[in-house]
Amino acid sequence: MSDPVVGVLALQGDVREHLVALAATGAVARPVRRAQELDGIDGLVLPGGESTTISKLAVLFGVLDPLRARVRAGLPVYGTCAGMILLADKILDPRSGQETVGGIDMIVRRNAFGRQNESFEAAVAVRGVPGEPVEGVFIRAPWVESVGGAVEVLAEHDGHIVAVRQGDVLATSFHPELTGDHRVHALFVDMVRARAKADAL
Ligand code: GLN
């Protein structure tokens, strides 16, 4: 199979770091801003940044509804931090006008770690990522308050859920794109490859 094409939603946030991490795993990485750019991608990353801003820009750019439809139709998606918030079916404490893409049956609490401690790093063992724990970079990070039965919990930190997967939708509270360790992106790109292969049958 040719290399999968993985987009990064490029409305706001740390887009460039994800493009670099994806390219390092052998994917063809490209920014996505418009609905038409969703055509022809095999997977999509929702970056870290500010989830309210990203959701408002997604509405403005007319990309929110087409994106929801693609996710519902099975597009593999990976969200980090703000991206995790966007993938939650429900936000515990949304700001006004804040919408989500949805895709994971979970309730997320925004800035959950942030109030006490704006930013920190911790070793996080992630199910599905072989070898040493990954270095989790948490920046005003959310945690997952609760999950539905179809959601697999992949990692916890301090008793709080910080990585989840439901079908081909993956989310982490932390930012693997900032560490130079591309194993979480490799896990996602493997999911994208497996889905593309299954779709081609
Ligand atoms: N606290 C931010 C939000 O609500 C997320 C922070 C991040 O992505 N680093 O969107």
Side-chain angles (χ1 to χ4, degrees), residues 3-7 19-30 185 189 192-193:
D3 293 335
V5 179
V6 180
L19 292 170
V20 170
L22 289 166
T25 69
V28 177
R30 57 165 80 137
H185 287 79
V189 171
V192 174
R193 281 204 178 89

Side-chain angles (χ1 to χ4, degrees), residues 148-186:
V151 180
E152 196 185 344
V153 173
L154 301 184
E156 295 186 34
H157 174 71
D158 261 359
H160 300 290
I161 300 169
V162 294
V164 290
R165 174 176 178 175
Q166 180 174 354
D168 287 330
V169 187
L170 177 71
T172 60
S173 301
F174 50 91
H175 294 268
E177 73 279 12
L178 299 180
T179 62
D181 175 353
H182 304 306
R183 286 176 295 160
V184 180
H185 287 79

